[in-house]
Every structure is written in structure tokens, then in C-alpha cells.
């Protein structure tokens, strides 16, 4: 009975462990603000790549698939550090996003000369050691950890989570930052509707549609700001979704890792951060594509009994799994585009379309798996 009082209600962990999580989440959020949201997420990719590599090697040496601890997305380095309190997107990336939103209002003079969007959307910007900005990152890193942990405890049904709470936390904290720092929650469309990107295609400045006196923070800003200027047309998004999904599924079939494709996609953003134009953003695509392969594998074989899932499949099963991965990837890509048009393009801060796409896709997967319609819930 006394042990109950030693644990944090709902989370089921000891208070001393919870305090450790709080301290590291504060530090992780400040770290994300210091180096910038996108660089922090690229670090996520490198750490998850390392963790998955170690896990693949361990499975190859032992010939067994380790069980994943309850409440963790993956074992070892991937779960504890990559998706944990150090580089977890809900902490480091979220801290960086909130820092940019805060600086967009507080320090508009920091905006680089070549930045055409509102400065609050600049997730490439590293804020260094400015104390108030680091404090904002720390607070939102802590908030991201709490949303993920508490939400994760609430949405589990029969051992299956209803969705990816890290993804939910990433966009939830971003919306909270909008409200906290005085931005519109969604924003006003400058075209025929929220889905209309034509003002961007015409390169209309914000001053062309607002009329009257324009606030200094909006001067020179485009009327509509798509998340990725090189990746917003439906056909191209669907195609890169199909391609990325197939690759994520293939990686899963050959290695047993759902997250390795995600890690490679995250690492590829290093080139985008360094200024290489038209690098596609695909981590939501490769991850959900891998989940499609997991579900197909579970229908045709028993992936829990083999080190490499492709061993459980015949030619037909492998083909179906790859095709399922492509379909899942395309759907996730299109969800990312839909959510960016609704929630990113018309306000002044970054709300992450990949996180929204992952959360929606995995909500559908989770609910169908809980209902017994799907044979697997992927990593949920």
C-alpha cells in the first residue's frame, strides 16, 4: 500500500524517476532552443539511427526479437535517448519550435534578411545562449514530456496505444505556443480558402491583401506560406509518399526495424538545413510506410517469431507488404499536405505537418487494431 504513494499517479513511475524526467526535459527543451528546432530533430535522426543499428546487430547475434517495454516506442538507445528526454521530438524539437514562436514576437530584429516567412516559422535558427529564449524552450520541453507521458497513459486500450502520443505532443505544444505568444490559432486565408496556395504561387506579399497599416513583423511576408515551397502540390506529394513508403517498408522487411527508415529520413534533413534546395521531408512517410509493411507482414506471417520479417513471407506476402507500405506512405504524405494547408500556411509559427500526419494515421491504425480489424498496430 505504501508503494502507491511512492509513485506518480497515472504514470506508474516513482517520484524520483519523474523528477529526473522533469529535469532532463527542461534541459532537452532548452537544448532544442539553443541549436534550433530542425537541427535538434536531425540529432533525433542520428541517435535513432544508432539505436536501431545496435538493436539490429543484437537481434542478428542473439537470433531473437526483444520485447519492447510498456510505454516505450522502442528499446535501448532509440527509446531512452532518441525518443526520450534528450532528443525526443516532443522535447527538443518542441522546445525549438516554441523558441522560434517567442522570438518572432519578442525579437523580430533577429530575422535573417533572406527569410520570406514570419520569423516565428524559422525552425532552422539557433538561438545560442539567450537566457529568456532558452527558458521558453525548457518550459515547452517539459510540457511536451508531460503531454506525452500523461496522454500515453490515458490512450492505452488492451496494451495498444490509440495513437502516437509523441506526434500528438509535438503539434499540441506548437498550438499552445501560438496562443501563448499571441498568434492566430489557424490564421486567415488570403486565397479562396484554407487549402488555396495560389497566393503563394503568385508571390503575393502580405501587404497586398491586408490593406491599411501593416505591422512591422509582417512587412515583406508572403500572403500564404506553404510549409515546403518545393513540396506542396498534391501529385508530387503523393508520388514522394509512394516512393518513401516503399523504401520504409523495404527497410523494415530486411532489418525488422520500424524506425530505421524514419531515422534516415530525419538525417537527410541535414542537407535541407544546410541550404540544399528541394530536399523532400519524408520521416512521416517512411515511418507510416513501415507500419503498413508491419500490418501486411502480420497478415501473411508471424513477424514476432523471426529476426527479419521478410523471412516470414513468401513472394506474394513480400509484394503485398511493399505495396501496402507504398499506400500507407502516400496517405501519410497527403495527410501532411492537408494539415499544412489547414494549420501551417496561414499563421505565423511552425505547427508540424509530419507530426499531425503521423498522429492521424496512427490513430486510425490504433483504433482499427484495438477493434480487431487489423492484425497489428505497428509500433503502438
Amino acid at each position: 500500500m505504501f508503494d502507491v504513494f511512492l509513485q506518480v499517479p497515472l504514470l506508474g513511475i516513482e517520484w524520483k524517476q519523474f523528477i529526473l524526467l522533469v529535469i532532463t526535459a527542461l534541459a532537452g527543451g532548452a537544448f532544442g532552443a539553443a541549436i534550433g528546432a530542425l537541427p535538434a530533430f536531425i540529432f533525433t535522426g542520428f541517435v535513432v539511427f544508432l539505436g536501431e543499428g545496435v538493436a539490429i546487430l543484437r537481434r542478428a547475434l542473439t537470433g531473437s526479437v526483444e520485447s519492447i517495454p510498456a510505454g516505450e516506442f522502442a528499446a535501448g538507445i532509440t527509446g531512452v535517448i532518441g525518443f526520450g528526454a534528450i532528443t525526443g521530438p516532443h522535447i527538443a524539437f518542441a522546445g525549438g519550435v516554441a523558441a522560434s514562436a517567442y522570438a518572432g514576437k519578442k525579437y523580430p530584429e533577429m530575422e535573417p534578411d533572406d527569410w520570406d516567412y514570419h520569423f516565428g516559422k524559422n525552425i532552422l535558427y539557433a538561438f545560442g545562449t539567450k537566457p529568456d529564449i532558452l527558458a521558453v524552450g525548457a518550459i515547452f520541453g517539459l510540457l511536451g514530456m508531460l503531454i506525452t507521458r500523461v496522454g500515453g497513459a490515458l490512450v492505452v486500450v488492451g496494451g495498444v496505444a490509440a495513437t502516437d502520443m509523441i506526434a500528438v505532443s509535438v503539434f499540441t505544444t506548437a498550438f499552445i505556443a501560438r496562443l501563448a505568444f499571441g498568434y492566430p490559432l489557424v490564421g486567415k486565408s488570403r486565397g479562396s480558402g484554407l487549402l488555396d496556395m495560389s497566393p503563394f504561387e503568385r508571390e503575393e506579399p502580405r501587404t497586398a491583401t491586408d490593406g491599411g497599416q501593416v505591422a512591422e513583423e509582417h512587412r515583406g511576408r508572403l500572403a500564404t506560406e506553404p510549409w515546403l515551397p518545393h513540396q506542396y502540390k498534391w501529385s508530387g506529394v503523393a508520388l514522394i509518399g509512394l516512393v518513401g513508403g516503399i523504401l520504409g517498408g523495404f527497410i523494415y522487411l530486411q532489418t525488422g526495424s520500424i524506425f530505421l527508415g524514419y531515422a534516415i529520413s530525419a538525417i537527410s534533413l541535414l542537407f535541407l538545413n544546410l541550404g540544399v534546395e528541394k530536399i523532400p521531408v519524408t520521416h512521416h512517410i517512411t515511418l507510416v510506410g513501415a507500419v503498413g509493411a508491419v500490418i501486411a507482414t502480420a497478415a501473411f506471417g508471424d513477424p514476432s517469431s523471426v529476426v527479419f520479417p521478410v523471412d516470414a513471407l513468401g513472394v506474394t506476402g513480400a509484394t503485398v507488404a511493399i505495396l501496402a507500405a507504398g499506400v500507407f506512405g502516400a496517405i501519410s504524405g497527403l495527410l501532411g499536405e492537408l494539415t499544412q494547408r489547414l494549420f501551417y500556411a496561414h499563421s505565423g509559427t511552425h505547427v508540424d505537418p509530419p507530426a499531425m500526419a503521423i498522429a492521424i494515421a496512427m490513430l486510425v491504425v490504433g483504433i482499427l487494431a484495438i477493434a480487431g480489424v487489423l492484425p497489428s498496430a505497428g509500433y503502438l
Side-chain angles (χ1 to χ4, degrees):
M1 183 70 176
F2 182 69
D3 290 342
V4 174
F5 297 101
L6 296 178
Q7 293 187 338
V8 182
L10 188 65
L11 300 185
I13 60 176
E14 294 184 0
W15 279 102
K16 60 183 180 182
Q17 183 181 357
F18 178 71
I19 293 171
L20 181 63
L21 286 174
V22 168
I23 294 171
T24 52
L26 287 167
F31 174 72
I35 69 171
L38 184 57
F41 181 66
I42 293 167
F43 271 107
T44 304
F46 279 110
V47 175
V48 172
F49 185 83
L50 173 63
E52 292 304 283
V54 171
I56 292 167
L57 178 61
R58 183 167 62 244
R59 288 196 295 270
L61 292 175
T62 63
S64 63
V65 179
E66 72 275 15
S67 61
I68 298 176
E72 297 290 349
F73 286 96
I77 296 171
T78 298
V80 175
I81 301 176
F83 291 132
I86 309 302
T87 63
H90 57 305
I91 294 174
F93 180 78
V97 167
S100 293
Y102 170 75
K105 290 287 189 178
K106 182 75 171 179
Y107 302 109
E109 68 275 8
M110 287 185 172
E111 180 179 339
D113 292 336
D114 60 349
W115 187 255
D116 294 328
Y117 287 11
H118 192 284
F119 184 43
K121 287 182 172 176
N122 192 339
I123 61 171
L124 290 72
Y125 200 97
F127 291 100
T129 59
K130 200 163 183 60
D132 57 332
I133 297 180
L134 296 192
V136 168
I139 292 169
F140 276 84
L142 174 60
L143 182 60
M145 183 275 287
L146 292 174
I147 292 173
T148 300
R149 288 280 174 168
V150 174
L154 292 173
V155 301
V156 175
V157 179
V160 176
T163 190
D164 183 326
M165 280 308 302
I166 285 181
V168 170
S169 178
V170 167
F171 70 77
T172 300
T173 54
F175 278 123
I176 293 172
R178 279 187 177 175
L179 294 176
F181 302 128
Y183 293 89
L185 191 62
V186 175
K188 177 184 176 182
S189 168
R190 267 67 187 181
S192 61
L194 292 177
L195 299 182
D196 183 9
M197 296 291 104
S198 63
F200 169 77
E201 294 170 343
R202 294 190 296 268
E203 298 185 355
E204 292 182 8
R206 179 62 61 105
T207 54
T209 54
D210 281 355
Q213 186 65 34
V214 178
E216 183 62 32
E217 67 179 271
H218 299 311
R219 292 190 185 278
R221 180 181 170 191
L222 293 171
T224 302
E225 302 167 336
W227 166 50
L228 296 169
H230 58 279
Q231 186 180 325
Y232 74 92
K233 294 187 176 180
W234 295 109
S235 59
V237 170
L239 183 56
I240 196 64
L242 178 66
V243 170
I246 288 173
L247 296 177
F250 180 79
I251 290 170
Y252 166 73
L253 291 178
Q254 295 295 330
T255 66
S257 170
I258 297 176
F259 299 106
L260 185 58
Y262 171 96
I264 293 171
S265 291
I267 292 171
S268 74
L269 298 182
L270 174 62
F271 300 101
L272 186 64
N273 200 91
L274 293 174
V276 180
E277 295 184 0
K278 299 184 180 180
I279 295 292
V281 178
T282 59
H283 55 282
H284 56 307
I285 291 168
T286 49
L287 177 61
V288 176
V291 170
V294 172
I295 293 170
T297 302
F300 280 85
D302 182 8
S304 64
S305 66
V306 293
V307 176
F308 305 112
V310 72
D311 296 340
L313 302 172
V315 175
T316 300
T319 302
V320 170
I322 287 292
L323 292 176
V327 171
F328 272 61
I331 291 172
S332 185
L334 292 171
L335 284 173
E337 180 55 30
L338 175 63
T339 54
Q340 83 85 8
R341 292 182 181 223
L342 293 175
F343 302 114
Y344 178 96
H346 311 290
S347 189
T349 70
H350 182 91
V351 172
D352 199 55
M356 291 185 279
I358 291 169
I360 295 169
M362 295 313 296
L363 177 64
V364 174
V365 168
I367 290 174
L368 292 178
I370 290 170
V373 176
L374 295 179
S376 171
Y379 59 90
L380 298 180

